[in-house]
Coordinates of all heavy atoms in Angstrom, one line a residue:
M1 N 6.6 -4.6 29.4 CA 8.0 -4.3 29.0 C 8.2 -2.8 29.0 O 7.4 -2.0 29.3 CB 8.2 -4.9 27.6 CG 8.5 -6.4 27.5 SD 9.9 -6.8 28.5 CE 11.3 -6.2 27.6
S2 N 9.4 -2.5 28.8 CA 9.9 -1.1 28.6 C 9.4 -0.1 29.7 O 8.3 -0.1 30.1 CB 9.6 -0.6 27.2 OG 8.3 -0.1 27.1
K3 N 10.2 0.8 30.0 CA 10.0 1.9 30.9 C 9.4 1.4 32.2 O 8.4 2.0 32.8 CB 9.1 3.0 30.3 CG 9.7 3.6 29.1 CD 9.1 5.0 28.8 CE 9.9 5.6 27.6 NZ 9.3 6.9 27.2
A4 N 9.9 0.3 32.8 CA 9.5 -0.2 34.0 C 9.7 0.7 35.2 O 9.1 0.6 36.2 CB 10.1 -1.5 34.3
H5 N 10.6 1.7 35.0 CA 11.0 2.6 36.1 C 10.5 4.0 35.9 O 10.9 5.0 36.5 CB 12.5 2.6 36.3 CG 13.0 1.2 36.6 ND1 14.0 0.7 35.9 CD2 12.7 0.3 37.6 CE1 14.3 -0.5 36.4 NE2 13.5 -0.8 37.4
R6 N 9.5 4.2 35.0 CA 9.0 5.5 34.7 C 7.4 5.5 34.7 O 6.8 4.5 34.4 CB 9.5 6.0 33.3 CG 11.0 6.2 33.3 CD 11.3 6.8 31.9 NE 12.7 6.7 31.7 CZ 13.3 7.3 30.6 NH1 12.6 7.9 29.7 NH2 14.6 7.2 30.5
G7 N 6.9 6.7 34.9 CA 5.5 6.9 34.7 C 4.5 6.0 35.4 O 4.7 5.7 36.6
V8 N 3.5 5.5 34.8 CA 2.5 4.7 35.4 C 3.1 3.5 36.1 O 2.6 3.0 37.1 CB 1.4 4.3 34.3 CG1 0.4 3.3 34.9 CG2 0.7 5.5 33.8
G9 N 4.1 2.9 35.6 CA 4.8 1.7 36.1 C 5.2 1.9 37.5 O 5.4 1.0 38.3
M10 N 5.5 3.2 37.9 CA 6.0 3.5 39.3 C 5.0 3.3 40.3 O 5.3 3.2 41.5 CB 6.5 5.0 39.3 CG 7.6 5.3 38.4 SD 9.1 4.3 38.7 CE 9.5 4.8 40.4
K11 N 3.7 3.2 40.0 CA 2.6 3.0 40.9 C 2.8 1.7 41.7 O 2.4 1.5 42.8 CB 1.3 2.9 40.2 CG 0.7 4.3 40.0 CD -0.7 4.1 39.4 CE -1.3 5.4 38.8 NZ -2.5 5.1 38.0
E12 N 3.4 0.7 41.0 CA 3.6 -0.6 41.6 C 4.6 -0.6 42.8 O 4.6 -1.5 43.7 CB 4.1 -1.6 40.6 CG 3.0 -1.9 39.6 CD 3.6 -2.7 38.4 OE1 4.5 -3.5 38.7 OE2 3.1 -2.6 37.3
F13 N 5.4 0.4 42.9 CA 6.4 0.5 44.0 C 5.8 1.2 45.2 O 5.0 2.1 45.0 CB 7.7 1.2 43.5 CG 8.4 0.5 42.4 CD1 8.2 0.9 41.1 CD2 9.3 -0.5 42.7 CE1 8.9 0.3 40.1 CE2 10.0 -1.2 41.7 CZ 9.8 -0.8 40.4
A14 N 6.3 0.8 46.4 CA 5.8 1.5 47.6 C 6.4 2.9 47.5 O 7.5 3.1 47.1 CB 6.4 0.7 48.8
N15 N 5.6 3.8 47.9 CA 6.0 5.2 47.9 C 6.4 5.7 46.5 O 7.3 6.5 46.4 CB 7.0 5.5 48.9 CG 7.1 7.0 49.3 OD1 6.2 7.8 49.1 ND2 8.3 7.4 49.7
K16 N 5.9 5.0 45.5 CA 6.2 5.3 44.1 C 7.7 5.2 43.8 O 8.3 5.9 43.0 CB 5.7 6.7 43.7 CG 4.2 6.9 43.7 CD 3.7 8.1 42.9 CE 2.2 8.1 42.9 NZ 1.7 8.6 44.2
G17 N 8.3 4.3 44.5 CA 9.7 3.9 44.3 C 10.7 4.8 45.0 O 11.9 4.7 44.9
R18 N 10.2 5.8 45.8 CA 11.1 6.7 46.4 C 11.5 6.2 47.8 O 10.7 5.6 48.5 CB 10.5 8.1 46.5 CG 10.3 8.7 45.2 CD 10.3 10.2 45.1 NE 10.3 10.6 43.7 CZ 11.4 11.0 43.1 NH1 12.5 11.2 43.7 NH2 11.3 11.3 41.8
G19 N 12.7 6.5 48.2 CA 13.2 6.1 49.5 C 14.6 6.4 49.6 O 15.1 7.3 48.9
T20 N 15.3 5.6 50.4 CA 16.8 5.9 50.7 C 17.6 4.8 49.9 O 17.3 3.6 50.0 CB 17.1 5.8 52.2 OG1 16.2 6.7 52.8 CG2 18.5 6.1 52.4
C21 N 18.5 5.3 49.1 CA 19.4 4.4 48.4 C 20.4 3.8 49.4 O 21.0 4.5 50.1 CB 20.1 5.1 47.3 SG 21.4 4.1 46.5
P22 N 20.5 2.4 49.5 CA 21.4 1.8 50.5 C 22.9 2.1 50.2 O 23.7 1.9 51.0 CB 21.1 0.3 50.3 CG 20.4 0.2 49.0 CD 19.8 1.4 48.7
L23 N 23.2 2.5 49.0 CA 24.6 2.8 48.6 C 25.0 4.2 48.9 O 26.0 4.4 49.7 CB 24.9 2.4 47.2 CG 24.9 0.9 46.8 CD1 25.5 0.7 45.4 CD2 25.7 0.1 47.8
C24 N 24.3 5.2 48.3 CA 24.8 6.6 48.5 C 24.1 7.2 49.7 O 24.4 8.3 50.1 CB 24.5 7.3 47.3 SG 22.8 7.4 46.7
K25 N 23.1 6.5 50.3 CA 22.4 7.0 51.5 C 21.6 8.2 51.3 O 21.2 8.9 52.2 CB 23.3 7.2 52.7 CG 24.3 6.1 52.9 CD 23.7 4.9 53.5 CE 24.7 3.8 53.9 NZ 24.1 2.5 54.1
R26 N 21.4 8.6 50.0 CA 20.5 9.8 49.8 C 19.1 9.4 50.0 O 18.7 8.3 49.7 CB 20.7 10.3 48.3 CG 22.1 10.9 48.1 CD 22.1 11.5 46.7 NE 22.1 10.4 45.7 CZ 21.9 10.6 44.4 NH1 21.8 11.9 44.0 NH2 21.9 9.6 43.6
T27 N 18.3 10.4 50.6 CA 16.9 10.1 50.9 C 16.0 10.7 49.9 O 16.4 11.7 49.2 CB 16.6 10.6 52.3 OG1 16.8 12.0 52.3 CG2 17.4 10.0 53.4
G28 N 14.8 10.1 49.8 CA 13.8 10.7 48.9 C 14.1 10.6 47.4 O 13.6 11.3 46.6
I29 N 15.0 9.6 47.1 CA 15.2 9.5 45.6 C 14.7 8.1 45.2 O 14.3 7.3 46.0 CB 16.8 9.5 45.4 CG1 17.5 8.4 46.2 CG2 17.3 10.9 45.6 CD1 18.8 8.1 45.6
K30 N 14.6 8.0 43.9 CA 14.1 6.8 43.3 C 15.1 5.7 43.4 O 16.2 5.8 42.7 CB 13.8 7.1 41.8 CG 12.5 6.7 41.3 CD 12.2 7.3 39.9 CE 12.7 6.4 38.8 NZ 12.4 7.0 37.5
A31 N 14.9 4.7 44.2 CA 15.8 3.6 44.4 C 15.0 2.3 43.9 O 14.5 1.6 44.8 CB 16.3 3.5 45.8
V32 N 14.9 2.1 42.7 CA 14.2 0.9 42.2 C 15.0 0.0 41.2 O 14.5 -0.9 40.7 CB 12.9 1.4 41.4 CG1 11.9 2.1 42.4 CG2 13.2 2.3 40.3
Y33 N 16.2 0.4 41.1 CA 17.0 -0.3 40.1 C 17.7 -1.5 40.8 O 18.6 -1.3 41.6 CB 18.1 0.6 39.4 CG 17.4 1.7 38.7 CD1 17.1 2.9 39.4 CD2 17.0 1.6 37.4 CE1 16.4 3.9 38.8 CE2 16.3 2.7 36.8 CZ 16.1 3.8 37.5 OH 15.4 4.8 36.8
E34 N 17.2 -2.7 40.5 CA 17.7 -3.9 41.1 C 19.1 -4.3 40.6 O 19.4 -4.4 39.4 CB 16.8 -5.1 41.0 CG 15.5 -4.9 41.8 CD 15.0 -6.2 42.3 OE1 15.2 -7.2 41.6 OE2 14.3 -6.2 43.3
Q35 N 20.0 -4.5 41.6 CA 21.4 -4.9 41.3 C 21.7 -6.1 42.1 O 21.3 -6.2 43.3 CB 22.3 -3.7 41.5 CG 23.7 -4.0 41.0 CD 23.9 -3.7 39.6 OE1 22.9 -3.5 38.8 NE2 25.1 -3.6 39.1
D36 N 22.5 -7.0 41.6 CA 22.8 -8.2 42.3 C 24.3 -8.1 42.8 O 25.2 -7.9 42.1 CB 22.8 -9.4 41.4 CG 22.1 -10.6 42.0 OD1 22.6 -11.0 43.1 OD2 21.2 -11.2 41.4
F37 N 24.4 -8.1 44.2 CA 25.7 -8.0 44.8 C 26.0 -9.3 45.5 O 25.3 -9.5 46.6 CB 25.8 -6.8 45.7 CG 25.6 -5.5 45.1 CD1 24.6 -4.7 45.4 CD2 26.5 -5.1 44.1 CE1 24.4 -3.5 44.8 CE2 26.3 -3.8 43.5 CZ 25.3 -3.0 43.8
D38 N 26.8 -10.2 45.0 CA 27.1 -11.5 45.6 C 25.8 -12.3 45.9 O 25.6 -12.8 47.0 CB 27.9 -11.3 46.9 CG 29.3 -10.7 46.7 OD1 29.8 -11.1 45.6 OD2 29.8 -10.0 47.5
G39 N 24.9 -12.3 45.0 CA 23.7 -13.0 45.1 C 22.6 -12.3 45.9 O 21.5 -12.8 46.1
K40 N 22.9 -11.1 46.4 CA 22.0 -10.3 47.2 C 21.4 -9.2 46.3 O 22.1 -8.4 45.8 CB 22.8 -9.7 48.4 CG 21.9 -9.3 49.6 CD 22.6 -9.1 50.9 CE 23.9 -8.3 50.8 NZ 24.3 -7.8 52.1
K41 N 20.1 -9.3 46.2 CA 19.4 -8.3 45.3 C 19.1 -7.1 46.1 O 18.4 -7.1 47.2 CB 18.0 -8.9 44.8 CG 18.2 -9.8 43.6 CD 17.3 -9.3 42.4 CE 17.7 -10.0 41.1 NZ 16.7 -11.0 40.7
V42 N 19.6 -5.9 45.6 CA 19.4 -4.7 46.3 C 18.8 -3.7 45.3 O 19.3 -3.6 44.2 CB 20.7 -4.2 46.9 CG1 20.5 -2.9 47.7 CG2 21.4 -5.2 47.7
A43 N 17.8 -2.9 45.8 CA 17.2 -1.9 45.0 C 18.0 -0.6 45.2 O 18.0 0.0 46.3 CB 15.8 -1.7 45.3
I44 N 18.7 -0.1 44.2 CA 19.5 1.1 44.4 C 19.1 2.2 43.4 O 18.2 2.0 42.6 CB 21.0 0.8 44.2 CG1 21.2 0.2 42.8 CG2 21.5 -0.1 45.3 CD1 22.7 -0.1 42.5
C45 N 19.7 3.4 43.5 CA 19.3 4.4 42.6 C 20.0 4.3 41.3 O 21.0 3.6 41.1 CB 19.5 5.8 43.2 SG 21.3 6.2 43.4
K46 N 19.5 5.1 40.3 CA 20.1 5.0 39.0 C 21.6 5.4 38.9 O 22.3 4.7 38.2 CB 19.3 6.1 38.1 CG 19.4 6.0 36.6 CD 18.5 7.0 36.0 CE 18.4 6.8 34.5 NZ 17.4 7.8 34.0
Q47 N 22.0 6.4 39.7 CA 23.3 6.8 39.7 C 24.2 5.7 40.2 O 25.3 5.5 39.7 CB 23.5 8.1 40.5 CG 23.0 9.4 39.8 CD 21.4 9.4 39.9 OE1 20.8 8.7 40.6 NE2 20.9 10.4 39.1
C48 N 23.8 5.1 41.3 CA 24.6 4.0 41.9 C 24.7 2.8 41.0 O 25.7 2.1 41.0 CB 24.0 3.6 43.3 SG 24.4 4.9 44.5
K49 N 23.6 2.5 40.3 CA 23.6 1.4 39.4 C 24.6 1.6 38.3 O 25.4 0.7 38.0 CB 22.2 1.2 38.7 CG 22.1 -0.1 37.9 CD 20.7 -0.2 37.3 CE 20.7 -1.3 36.2 NZ 21.0 -2.6 36.7
A50 N 24.7 2.8 37.8 CA 25.7 3.2 36.8 C 27.1 3.1 37.3 O 28.0 2.5 36.7 CB 25.4 4.5 36.2
A51 N 27.2 3.6 38.6 CA 28.6 3.6 39.2 C 29.0 2.2 39.5 O 30.2 1.8 39.2 CB 28.5 4.4 40.5
A52 N 28.1 1.3 40.0 CA 28.4 -0.1 40.2 C 28.8 -0.8 38.9 O 29.7 -1.6 38.9 CB 27.2 -0.8 40.9
G53 N 28.1 -0.5 37.9 CA 28.4 -1.1 36.6 C 29.8 -0.7 36.1 O 30.4 -1.4 35.3
N54 N 30.3 0.5 36.5 CA 31.6 0.9 36.1 C 32.7 0.5 37.1 O 33.8 0.9 37.0 CB 31.6 2.5 36.0 CG 30.8 3.0 34.8 OD1 30.8 2.3 33.8 ND2 30.2 4.1 35.0
G55 N 32.3 -0.3 38.1 CA 33.3 -0.8 39.0 C 33.6 0.1 40.1 O 34.6 0.0 40.8
K56 N 32.7 1.1 40.3 CA 32.9 2.1 41.4 C 32.0 1.7 42.6 O 31.3 0.6 42.6 CB 32.5 3.5 41.0 CG 33.5 4.0 39.9 CD 33.1 5.3 39.4 CE 34.0 5.7 38.2 NZ 33.5 6.8 37.4
M57 N 32.0 2.5 43.7 CA 31.2 2.3 44.9 C 31.5 1.0 45.6 O 30.7 0.4 46.3 CB 29.7 2.2 44.5 CG 29.1 3.4 43.7 SD 28.9 5.0 44.6 CE 27.8 4.5 46.0
K58 N 32.7 0.5 45.4 CA 33.1 -0.7 46.0 C 33.0 -0.8 47.5 O 32.6 -1.8 48.1 CB 34.6 -1.1 45.6 CG 34.7 -1.5 44.2 CD 35.6 -2.7 44.0 CE 35.5 -3.4 42.7 NZ 36.0 -2.6 41.6
E59 N 33.4 0.3 48.2 CA 33.3 0.4 49.7 C 31.9 0.3 50.1 O 31.5 -0.5 51.0 CB 33.9 1.6 50.2 CG 35.4 1.8 49.9 CD 35.6 2.7 48.7 OE1 34.7 2.9 47.9 OE2 36.8 3.2 48.5
A60 N 31.0 1.0 49.4 CA 29.6 1.0 49.8 C 29.0 -0.3 49.6 O 28.2 -0.8 50.4 CB 28.8 2.1 49.0
I61 N 29.3 -1.0 48.5 CA 28.8 -2.3 48.2 C 29.3 -3.3 49.3 O 28.5 -4.1 49.7 CB 29.2 -2.7 46.8 CG1 28.5 -1.9 45.8 CG2 28.9 -4.2 46.6 CD1 29.1 -2.0 44.4
A62 N 30.5 -3.2 49.7 CA 31.1 -4.1 50.6 C 30.4 -3.9 52.0 O 30.4 -4.9 52.8 CB 32.6 -3.9 50.8
A63 N 29.9 -2.7 52.3 CA 29.3 -2.4 53.6 C 27.9 -2.9 53.6 O 27.2 -2.8 54.7 CB 29.4 -0.9 53.9
L64 N 27.3 -3.3 52.5 CA 25.9 -3.7 52.5 C 25.6 -4.9 53.4 O 26.4 -5.8 53.5 CB 25.5 -4.1 51.1 CG 25.1 -2.9 50.2 CD1 24.8 -3.4 48.8 CD2 24.0 -2.1 50.7
Ligands
LIG1 ZN1 22.4 5.6 45.2

């Protein structure tokens, strides 16, 4: 439980969770936060998860 996206827990992710976020297209960032878009599970970055939760990033989500 807890802190699944920090510290030792990051070892379980490929490249320690770093990669390209499919929403903001930034590279080399932590994209491990799973979000469900129309039944499609996508690992996105923290900022995009917060934005999606606030009803933003609609164009990027639609383009997935
Ligand atoms: Zn992002």
Side-chain angles (χ1 to χ4, degrees):
M1 277 306 286
S2 83
K3 297 204 177 177
H5 301 126
R6 294 185 191 187
V8 172
M10 297 301 296
K11 276 187 197 167
E12 291 173 29
F13 296 99
N15 198 25
K16 297 197 175 74
R18 294 203 174 260
T20 305
C21 171
L23 287 193
C24 58
K25 313 288 185 197
R26 287 185 296 170
T27 59
I29 56 160
K30 229 168 88 178
V32 294
Y33 301 88
E34 286 214 334
Q35 187 84 349
D36 224 307
F37 298 117
D38 293 326
K40 205 163 37 160
K41 277 237 169 105
V42 187
I44 57 177
C45 73
K46 196 176 190 174
Q47 286 77 11
C48 286
K49 187 179 165 66
N54 288 328
K56 294 175 185 166
M57 307 285 304
K58 284 223 166 71
E59 298 97 343
I61 292 166
L64 280 177

